[in-house]
Amino acid sequence: MKKIVLMMSLMLACTVMYGQTAKSILDKTAAVVSNKGGIKANFIMSGGMGNVSGTIAVKGRKFQATTPQATIWFNGKTMWTYLKKNEEVSVTTPNESQLQKINPYNFINLYKQGYDMTMNKADKTYTVHLTAQKSGSKIQELFITVDKKSYHPTQVKMLQGKKWTTFDISNLTAQTLSDDAFSFNSKDFPSAEVIDLR
């Protein structure tokens, strides 16, 4: 009986240590992504709607994402989505689930609560697997791949419902970004029709 208790204690201790290691990796990654002045990176998003490539700028909860088809600004509360094809700007107040679909760096607001973590190591990367503790969570699973040297996230793969979306991330650099970069400026798009959906 004592042997069984001892083995269970050791297994539990190893699991806790493993979980702390996974969390410490994401803590370091979050610190990189949370650079005070902001960051910029390139991304390729793949999923049910095919592949979309573009650039993203992030500063805290604010972000701006640009693709050949659209530009999205989010200032921490309001989101503007400009579609180039028909020159329309939709104004919304998104929820966390909607933000996660667009902003691959939103994981830095999620992993600290409500998820169990495990980690795999490769030669040059760590991959942290997050599983939601509640079955009703909008994002059930996340795989976050991180470069071992820089702690830059190189891929974020998430499961929402039955659909997986993958963001491949490259060329991440620290920046000094103005807060104005995360709000739509009508002067830059004088012919755009603004549709307020809030």
Side-chain angles (χ1 to χ4, degrees), residues 40-159:
K40 279 190 175 181
N42 297 334
F43 71 87
I44 298 172
M45 182 178 74
S46 55
M49 298 175 68
N51 291 357
V52 178
S53 62
T55 60
I56 188 164
V58 179
K59 185 178 180 182
R61 283 183 52 80
K62 305 177 182 74
F63 72 90
Q64 183 208 70
T66 303
T67 71
Q69 297 81 24
T71 302
I72 299 168
W73 298 263
F74 178 66
N75 67 2
K77 180 182 178 183
T78 303
M79 186 164 75
W80 295 264
T81 304
Y82 171 68
L83 298 176
K84 294 178 183 178
K85 187 177 179 181
N86 51 9
E87 291 200 76
E88 285 182 358
V89 180
S90 300
V91 188
T92 58
T93 305
N95 59 35
E96 288 300 321
S97 177
Q98 291 166 328
L99 289 174
Q100 188 69 51
K101 287 180 183 177
I102 302 160
N103 180 5
Y105 293 114
N106 207 43
F107 76 84
I108 65 172
N109 302 310
L110 289 177
Y111 79 93
K112 293 175 184 175
Q113 56 184 7
Y115 288 86
D116 294 320
M117 293 182 236
T118 58
M119 183 182 65
N120 289 319
K121 297 179 185 180
D123 287 343
K124 296 182 180 180
T125 60
Y126 300 107
T127 299
V128 180
H129 180 202
L130 289 81
T131 308
Q133 293 167 348
K134 294 181 180 178
S135 59
S137 297
K138 296 287 186 185
I139 297 162
Q140 283 297 307
E141 286 186 74
L142 277 163
F143 288 91
I144 301 164
T145 303
V146 177
D147 181 273
K148 278 186 176 180
K149 287 185 179 179
S150 65
Y151 289 96
H152 289 180
T154 58
Q155 187 182 79
V156 178
K157 184 178 179 182
M158 69 192 77
L159 177 65

Side-chain angles (χ1 to χ4, degrees), residues 171-186:
N171 301 324
L172 189 152
T173 56
Q175 302 278 323
T176 302
L177 302 171
S178 165
D179 288 341
D180 293 340
F182 304 99
S183 294
F184 171 74
N185 187 339
S186 58

